[in-house]
Amino acid sequence: MRTTASFVIRLAIGITFLYAGVIKALAPVDFFHSILKYDLVSWRPLVISMAFYLPWLEIVCGAALVLKQSHAALVLLLAMTSVFTAAIASAMIRGLDISCGCFGHASHGMPVELGIDIAILGGLLFLFWARKEQWRSVAAF
Amino acid sequence: MVLFLRKIVLLLLLAGIPAGGSAVLMVTRGNWGAFADRQISLQDALQWKERVLWVDARPEVDYAKDHIPGALSLNEDDWGGLLPGLVQAWSPDRVIVVYCSSRSCQASEEVANRLREEAGFTSVYVLRGGWETWQNSKGIHLK
């Protein structure tokens, strides 16, 4: 049961990141402006680098998760999702009336995107828990 | 643990290759200008003096209460009805500066995008801080 749930969640999260990554990789300028609107990073070269790099990191990690139970991809996706969730929450707290930009033009409102991110975080934590034996061996090396 | 860290570095590097390629492609196609700052400070906008064509992207009710002198109302609720007025007021030497209520609103960005993409205007900026900045500027616009 745990294995089946783990497989379904792994595929769902992997495909979600692949989709989100492809949409943003096709429109880096839109993603650049979405990042700026969060008002968290203002140094332009960094924002431009993020606009090009993050979508591809999502694609690579999403693909790694779909193809294989990759611990490295899990760690990177957990780190990214935590940052994205914190950024959305901070924007909501500051009362910014912006679109999340998480799924490019297909983005929903901030509360919906925050809900999606929290669900993904929960899924990733479940995957960590489901593979806890393997994690012990990773940490032992 | 070392192998695990190597895999993380490998994934990070793998993402960098297409990302770098995508950036190079954008430079070679000459599209880098799209990353230019679309927002402008009040002080910079005021340097254009009468060349500025102010566009108020707030709801009509707010525009009716008060607005930047000479500003035209243009919002997404009545785009078709208000756009002809802007087109009439515009001339090639004018720079459009769109504003909404404050730093946290998005209406000015959306109106500015539509002016660029749908109406074909090229010199379109968004006033950083919007109407709130104008009101808090303590009369620098009156100098």
Side-chain angles (χ1 to χ4, degrees):
Chain A
M1 182 66 187
R2 193 206 290 182
T3 318
T4 312
S6 176
F7 175 73
V8 171
I9 290 171
R10 181 165 68 84
L11 276 190
I13 293 178
I15 290 168
T16 303
F17 272 98
L18 271 172
Y19 171 70
V22 168
I23 282 186
K24 286 181 283 194
L26 290 173
V29 176
D30 290 342
F31 188 43
F32 163 79
H33 288 290
S34 294
I35 300 171
L36 277 181
K37 283 174 196 162
Y38 279 88
D39 220 2
L40 291 170
V41 191
S42 56
W43 191 47
R44 203 151 287 264
L46 178 62
V47 182
I48 293 174
S49 307
M50 287 165 74
F52 279 109
Y53 185 72
L54 286 179
W56 285 103
L57 188 60
E58 287 182 324
I59 292 170
V60 167
C61 292
L65 205 63
V66 167
L67 298 173
K68 187 172 172 272
Q69 172 72 296
S70 163
H71 290 95
L74 261 182
V75 167
L76 288 173
L77 289 176
L78 188 69
M80 275 195 284
T81 312
S82 304
V83 172
F84 295 161
T85 309
I88 296 172
S90 124
M92 286 176 73
I93 290 166
R94 285 177 290 145
L96 295 184
D97 178 20
I98 58 174
S99 104
C100 159
C102 313
F103 295 94
H105 281 304
S107 289
H108 306 90
M110 295 285 261
V112 176
E113 302 285 357
L114 184 66
I116 292 173
D117 271 14
I118 290 171
I120 291 174
L121 266 181
L124 288 168
L125 290 172
F126 174 81
L127 292 178
F128 271 97
W129 172 77
R131 308 270 300 184
K132 55 181 185 274
E133 286 81 18
Q134 283 89 336
W135 276 107
R136 287 198 189 104
S137 63
V138 167
F141 276 102
Chain B
M1 192 66 176
V2 174
L3 183 67
F4 171 66
L5 291 175
R6 269 190 199 160
K7 282 182 182 173
I8 287 188
V9 172
L10 181 70
L11 287 177
L12 291 170
L13 289 176
L14 265 178
I17 296 166
S22 162
V24 169
L25 200 67
M26 194 132 183
V27 173
T28 53
R29 284 182 178 171
N31 294 336
W32 203 254
F35 290 112
D37 201 349
R38 292 175 180 177
Q39 291 206 348
I40 191 163
S41 69
L42 178 59
Q43 278 188 323
D44 287 344
L46 289 171
Q47 283 175 4
W48 284 316
K49 296 180 180 168
E50 62 278 358
R51 284 184 58 211
V52 178
L53 180 54
W54 296 103
V55 170
D56 191 320
R58 298 175 302 158
E60 291 270 9
V61 185
D62 296 331
Y63 174 79
K65 278 183 198 162
D66 202 2
H67 54 262
I68 294 178
L72 298 173
S73 176
L74 178 64
N75 53 61
E76 296 205 289
D77 297 335
D78 188 18
W79 183 264
L82 296 168
L83 186 63
L86 173 74
V87 173
Q88 206 168 15
W90 180 83
S91 58
D93 64 320
R94 301 200 77 175
V95 182
I96 297 172
V97 181
V98 191
Y99 66 92
C100 52
S101 54
S102 67
R103 194 181 180 87
S104 66
C105 64
Q106 183 139 358
S108 53
E109 286 280 358
E110 282 161 5
V111 165
N113 281 339
R114 287 188 72 173
L115 283 172
R116 287 187 205 101
E117 290 162 18
E118 293 176 28
F121 292 106
T122 49
S123 293
V124 183
Y125 295 87
V126 167
L127 178 66
R128 196 174 290 130
W131 173 245
E132 195 175 80
T133 295
W134 176 270
Q135 281 193 308
N136 295 338
S137 61
K138 292 174 183 160
I140 66 159
H141 46 279
L142 298 175
K143 284 178 188 170

